[in-house]
Amino acid sequence: MANIPSINPYYPSKILPAPTPEKNNAGGAPFSEMFNKALSNVASSDYEDKTTNLGLLTGELDNIHTATIAAEKAEIMLNLTVQVRNKIVEGYQEIMRMQM
């Protein structure tokens, strides 16, 4: 009987860490820096997904679960990024509608 590999738990806090009191916008890192870091995390997740899929297709990766988890993680991170972008555009449009 084959052993079932263990599945590591997935924590959303690894995508975007919760802001700490010393890293808030009042005196910490600017929003653009935090946003660029989040985008680089999305890009690295997409790269990980592509490399695991390539490894699965070439036979270098035996565990299909790793490829599936990487694909789902990349999809969730991309969906989160799209939703954040939509909210930013929505906020910008709302500001532009304000009368002076």
Side-chain angles (χ1 to χ4, degrees), residues 4 11 21 23-24 28-29 37 47-48 52 59 62 68-69 73 77 83 87 90-91 97 99:
I4 298 175
Y11 298 106
K23 285 274 188 175
N24 62 11
K37 185 177 177 183
Y47 178 76
E48 179 185 348
T52 55
D62 295 340
T68 306
I69 290 170
K73 181 179 173 184
M77 291 178 78
Q83 291 300 320
K87 288 294 181 182
E90 218 175 271
R97 281 193 288 260
Q99 295 196 3

Side-chain angles (χ1 to χ4, degrees), residues 7-84:
I7 297 175
N8 294 331
Y10 175 71
Y11 298 106
S13 62
K14 290 184 180 179
I15 298 172
L16 293 174
T20 58
E22 59 272 2
K23 285 274 188 175
N24 62 11
N25 287 338
F31 177 75
S32 62
E33 183 180 315
M34 189 173 64
F35 192 69
N36 285 335
K37 185 177 177 183
L39 285 179
S40 70
N41 286 343
V42 171
S44 68
S45 176
D46 184 52
Y47 178 76
E48 179 185 348
D49 174 38
K50 288 179 182 178
T51 56
T52 55
N53 282 338
L54 184 62
L56 188 64
L57 292 174
T58 59
E60 296 172 5
L61 184 66
D62 295 340
N63 192 350
I64 193 169
H65 302 293
T66 304
T68 306
I69 290 170
E72 287 298 317
K73 181 179 173 184
E75 182 180 355
I76 289 170
M77 291 178 78
L78 182 62
N79 286 339
L80 175 66
T81 304
V82 169
Q83 291 300 320
V84 168

